[in-house]
Amino acid sequence: GDASRAAAGTGGRRGGASLTFSLGDWLRRAGRPRPLPGRLEDGRARAPAPPPAPHLFSDPAEIEALRGNLLAWYDRCKRDLPWRTLVRGVWVSEIMLQQTQVATVIDYYNRWMQKWPTLQALAQASLEEVNELWAGLGYYSRGKRLQEAARKVRWCWGVGGVSKALCSLWVGAGSHLPCLAGAASCWHKATGVVDGNVIRVLCRLRCIGADSSSPPVIDRLWDMANTLVDRSRPGDFNQALMELGATVCVPKAPLCGECPVKQHCRARRRVEKELAFASQKLFGKPDPVPDVEDCGKCVGGCPLCPPATEPWDSSLGVTNFPRKAAKKQPRVVKTATCVLERRGCHGAPEYLIVQRPNSGLLAGLWEFPSLLLAQGLQEEKQQEALADHLQAWMGWPVAAGDLQLIGEVVHIFSHIHQTYVVYSLPLDGDVTLDPASSPSRWVTEEEFHASAVSTAMKKVLGDTWAFPSFPLGSSPQPLRAVPVPGPSCCSALGSLVLPSGAEST
Ligand code: SF4
């Protein structure tokens, strides 16, 4: 996916922290009935854990006040977003909004809803159409899962009507909990919601400084969200909590002064007390004991307080919360890619693109012919490896010297630091490919941009065009194609390619 667009650190979609859940996780936490308080899932009594009070909402009056303040603020200040009123819209938008900013999503959302105005229409779409519309949004499996879910939902609709199980299916479609807020409205169920924005808000409200992606903390946050959710307006309440995280309680510079729930926020209270303490010290007043918001068990190892190794840092203020375990370093990957170009029937350049496998990274998307390179391969060897790859693919000799090095394009996926080493290979004449190899087709520049290609491939083509000393089509040694019967310049399949001077056998 296009993680380069995702916010860094604890930031994420809509400027908020990111957290994804598998379908199994979601079903475990939300789709199945939660055990009664004090009971295990099999009904047996559970030994009560002593509640760390400062991390809880236990005062009914405070809960009521927080609900009222938050909903009043939401009614007054909510953003006018196109997906607010339609449950299906909430579902689509929440999946699009994973790791992606609202401003980016709106155009994709509008085009999606216009193209597939009903679930039935989406269910009948091809994966190719879905990928084409999704191109550039990143995390491409999301679109595929949306479409798969629409097919399953349509089937469920046919046999059993909408049910809570169906709701779970919708929600799980994106390996995230995208539409619980909408589902809560739709099915009038007072169910809390926990996404990246909510995690940030709740961790700050209750000074939760343990790793916010760890299962015990996530479970505690679900409990808290279910406790807080307004019983008469659950959907609005959940939307309001997410909205607060997206617009006020943002990752880096939260607007605490404008926050409708600031009087319930323990992180803010701690900051205020520290400021008061510092000011008293400045004026030489006797040192009061700072009444910090620790739960009193920190020294003994409270599972929700910041770890002893990373205590509260006054310079960070409320942004001490939430905390996440250090991210794994992205895998470094190098790929050689070749822009094969020919002149089309009207003299305009055309490019060869091939389709990636239907699973794995960028599944089903189109790209220029590419080869994953072994670590530490020298440039000369890279070129030879790519030439061998193209040769095996096309079935005819390709000399490494025919490949013109254009440069490198770096693209950051969520877990991969990808460098594309870009080569160009102009071809002379009408060229088609062995139909036994990966699906492939020739496209004009316009068709390329309308195809299901990743942002990285668009960068590759952009860089190829921008290369000043080697305009495409001016290779000193263009490969000569062998003409074959059948449709010519705009066809996708057919013949083989020969280097200039090579003989067909
Ligand atoms: Fe977030 Fe500040 Fe509001 Fe606390 S007071 S919830 S830190 S914006």
Side-chain angles (χ1 to χ4, degrees):
D2 296 336
S4 51
R5 279 187 285 96
T10 54
R13 72 184 185 108
R14 291 171 288 182
S18 65
L19 185 79
T20 56
F21 295 92
S22 68
L23 173 58
D25 277 348
W26 192 88
L27 289 173
R28 183 170 69 81
R29 294 193 172 104
R32 290 195 327 215
R34 297 178 69 78
L36 293 169
R39 296 267 157 195
L40 298 171
E41 291 199 357
D42 61 6
R44 284 180 298 127
R46 178 166 49 185
H55 301 305
L56 291 178
F57 282 95
S58 47
D59 176 0
E62 184 186 18
I63 293 172
E64 221 27 70
L66 185 146
R67 287 173 183 161
N69 292 337
L70 186 61
L71 283 167
W73 168 82
Y74 181 67
D75 291 340
R76 216 173 44 249
C77 303
K78 71 180 169 202
R79 291 170 296 176
D80 187 17
L81 297 175
W83 45 80
R84 286 266 190 241
T85 54
L86 193 61
V87 171
R88 186 169 57 86
V90 173
W91 169 54
V92 171
S93 67
E94 285 294 328
I95 289 179
M96 287 185 167
L97 284 162
Q98 290 170 46
Q99 302 287 335
T100 314
Q101 304 282 329
V102 166
T104 307
V105 162
I106 286 178
D107 175 53
Y108 282 90
Y109 172 84
N110 286 334
R111 284 191 289 120
W112 181 284
M113 299 300 276
Q114 203 173 3
K115 190 166 175 77
W116 298 298
T118 63
L119 273 175
Q120 284 84 348
L122 177 57
Q124 284 161 5
S126 69
L127 180 58
E128 183 71 13
E129 288 175 292
V130 168
N131 279 338
E132 280 174 9
L133 197 144
W134 205 273
L137 196 57
Y139 296 93
Y140 292 89
S141 62
R142 295 179 298 172
K144 183 179 172 194
R145 286 175 176 167
L146 267 173
Q147 198 243 9
E148 285 171 356
R151 288 187 175 166
K152 288 176 185 169
V153 166
R154 192 178 60 153
W155 181 82
C156 289
W157 214 298
V159 298
V162 180
S163 66
K164 276 191 273 186
L166 182 59
C167 168
S168 299
L169 177 65
W170 280 30
V171 172
S175 67
H176 183 62
L177 76 168
C179 75
L180 195 51
S185 294
C186 188
W187 281 279
H188 305 291
K189 183 163 168 47
T191 304
V193 63
V194 176
D195 79 341
N197 285 316
V198 174
I199 286 172
R200 185 169 55 260
V201 174
L202 295 181
C203 284
R204 289 175 179 170
L205 285 174
R206 281 302 177 260
C207 282
I208 295 175
D211 174 6
S212 65
S213 59
S214 67
V217 173
I218 291 295
D219 281 346
R220 180 66 70 191
L221 294 171
W222 273 96
D223 288 342
M224 202 184 289
N226 284 327
T227 302
L228 289 179
V229 66
D230 189 271
R231 270 44 188 169
S232 57
R233 295 177 62 190
D236 283 345
F237 182 87
N238 288 327
Q239 293 275 0
L241 209 49
M242 292 191 281
E243 185 86 344
L244 186 72
T247 60
V248 176
C249 194
V250 292
K252 288 192 178 137
L255 308 170
C256 297
E258 300 172 20
C259 177
V261 295
K262 57 178 178 275
Q263 64 270 44
H264 310 288
C265 180
R266 294 212 157 125
R268 179 174 158 85
R269 201 182 307 165
R270 176 165 185 161
V271 170
E272 285 173 343
K273 283 182 178 170
E274 282 194 350
L275 285 175
F277 176 61
S279 127
Q280 283 179 346
K281 236 179 143 180
L282 193 66
F283 290 106
K285 294 193 181 162
D287 287 354
V289 178
D291 177 17
V292 293
E293 298 292 321
D294 287 337
C295 74
K297 295 186 179 178
C298 291
V299 181
C302 166
L304 298 179
C305 278
T309 49
E310 293 175 71
W312 166 272
D313 177 349
S314 296
S315 68
L316 295 177
V318 297
T319 62
N320 269 285
F321 311 111
R323 297 190 182 183
K324 285 176 95 171
K327 258 184 156 182
K328 271 201 218 157
Q329 285 297 310
R331 196 155 47 91
V332 176
V333 172
K334 215 169 195 188
T335 299
T337 191
C338 185
V339 180
L340 287 153
E341 184 237 356
R342 72 176 185 185
R343 291 287 151 190
C345 50
H346 303 298
E350 291 182 346
Y351 308 98
L352 185 71
I353 54 175
V354 295
Q355 192 169 29
R356 291 180 61 84
N358 274 334
S359 58
L361 184 71
L362 305 175
L365 265 66
W366 295 78
E367 65 181 9
F368 297 114
S370 300
L371 173 70
L372 193 63
L373 294 170
Q375 291 280 345
L377 209 59
Q378 298 297 315
E379 187 183 318
E380 197 180 313
K381 296 284 177 199
Q382 290 176 7
Q383 203 158 336
E384 283 172 14
L386 180 61
D388 289 348
H389 176 68
L390 293 172
Q391 182 171 310
W393 186 52
M394 298 194 290
W396 289 92
V398 175
D402 290 333
L403 299 171
Q404 178 78 27
L405 178 65
I406 298 296
E408 291 190 347
V409 167
V410 175
H411 192 77
I412 312 293
F413 295 94
S414 54
H415 54 301
I416 297 175
H417 184 285
Q418 173 72 265
T419 301
Y420 292 99
V421 186
V422 184
Y423 292 87
S424 171
L425 180 60
L427 302 173
D428 184 14
D430 182 23
V431 177
T432 49
L433 294 168
D434 181 357
S437 55
S438 315
S440 58
R441 66 178 200 252
W442 287 97
V443 289
T444 62
E445 189 188 357
E446 196 181 337
E447 288 164 345
F448 174 84
H449 285 289
S451 300
V453 292
S454 67
T455 305
M457 282 298 124
K458 288 181 181 172
K459 280 197 223 170
V460 165
L461 186 60
D463 280 22
T464 307
W465 273 104
F467 188 71
S469 60
F470 183 67
L472 284 172
S474 67
S475 167
Q477 275 196 306
L479 298 188
R480 179 171 62 79
V482 178
V484 289
S488 65
C489 60
C490 294
S491 69
L493 300 172
S495 69
L496 302 166
V497 179
L498 292 177
S500 298
E503 294 297 322
S504 174
T505 54

